[in-house]
Amino acid sequence: MSQEQKSPDLERLRSRVDEINQQLLELLSQRAELAKAIGEVKKAQGVNRFDPVRERDMLDQLVADNPGPFDNDTIRHLFKQIFKASLDLQQKDHKKALLVSRKRHPEDTVVHVGEIPVGHDTKTIVAGPCSVESEDQVRQVAQALRKQGISLLRGGAFKPRTSPYDFQGMGIEGLQILRRVADEFDLKVISEIVNPADMEMAEQYVDVIQIGARNMQNFELLKAAGAASRPVFLKRGMSATVEEFLFAAEYIVSRGNSQVMLCERGIRTYEKWTRNTLDISAVPILKQESHLPVFVDITHSTGRRDIQLPVARAALAAGADGIMLEVHPDPSVALSDANQQIDIPRFHTFMEEIRQTGLVAPAPV
Ligand code: PEP
Ligand code: MN
C-alpha cells in the first residue's frame, strides 16, 4: 500500500483520472441543462419528452464512433443511463409542477362544503350508512349526527358492488332521501357517483361528490368531477400507489375543480384479519406531498368494529384532517357492509372517546 502511494506513475495516472472525472461531471451537468431546455421546448410544443427515434440515432452514432476499449454494448448501456437520467430530471420537474403538490401550493387547501370548512386546522367527521335503504333509516342516523355536531352525512345511493346480485343502491331516489333528511337536520350530503353522465343530476342533491376506490382511475369520471361545481371526496384505489392516487386528484384539479379531499381507505394485501390494510404511512406522505385535506376511512380499511377507535386515533395522530365511518341503526340487517357498520349507541360512545384525544371539537351542548 505504502509502496503504491510512493509510485510516481500511479500518482500521475490517478490525478489524470481525477481531472477527467471533473471534466465528465462538468460535461454531464451541461448536458443535463441542455436536456432540461429541450424538455421546456417540447412542453411548449405539446410534444412527448421521450423520443425513441432520436435516442436510437444517438446510440447508433456513438457506437459507430466508439474508439474502444469499451465494447459497443457497454457504450450503449452507459449512454442509455445518461439518457434516462436526463428524462428523469425532466419528469421530476414535471412532478414539481403538479397542481395538487405542496411544492406548487405550500399552504393547506381548505375545502368549503357550503359554509363548512374542511382541512387545515379543523378535524372533520364524515358519518352515515353504507347505503341509503329508507328515509327512516337515514333520519335516525342524521339525528345522531346532529346530536354530535357533525355536519357531513354520507350514504351510498349508487353502490359499486363486487357481485352483480348484491343490492345496487336506491339510485336517484336514494339521493332524494339524503337531500330531504339533510335539509331537515341542516346537514351536508356526501354520496358516491359512478357515472360521468350523472354528475349534473347529482349536483341537485349532493354537497360533495364521492369517487369510490373502484373508480379512482375511471378517468372520464375524474374529468367530469373536475368540471363539477361541488367538492370531491376521492378515495384511494385498493391497489393504487400514492403517486397514482395523486395523479387521480390531479385529473380533477387540472379540470378546474380545486376542492378535492383525499381519503385513504386501506389497500389490498395478503392480510385477512382486516378487510383491507390501512396504509397509515400514506397519511403523512399525502400531507407532505399535497396541500389537499386527507381523510381516513376507518370502516372500509378495517372491515371490523372492534378496532375502529385505535385506528381513528392513529389516523388523527398521523395528521389526518378527518375520519369517515359507517353508522347504521341496525347493522345486522344492513343491505351492504353489515359486518362493519356501527350502531347508533356505539357511534355516540365512539365520538365521546375520540373527543378525548382533544383533537376533535367538543360536542355541542
Ligand atoms: C363507500 O365509502 O361507500 C365505499 C364503497 O368505499 P370504497 O369505495 O372505499 O370501497
Ligand atoms: Mn360500505
Side-chain angles (χ1 to χ4, degrees), residues 174-194:
L175 295 185
Q176 289 165 340
I177 290 175
L178 282 167
R179 185 73 271 157
R180 274 201 300 275
V181 175
D183 287 347
E184 192 181 324
F185 290 91
D186 192 20
L187 302 173
K188 305 292 178 196
V189 170
I190 156 162
S191 196
E192 180 165 353
I193 300 303
V194 295

Side-chain angles (χ1 to χ4, degrees), residues 130-131 154 159 275 299-300 326 336-337 340-341:
C130 179
S131 300
R154 63 146 286 144
K159 295 303 295 178
R275 180 171 170 183
T299 302
H300 294 94
E326 288 184 343
S336 58
D337 287 351
Q340 65 186 31
Q341 305 197 58

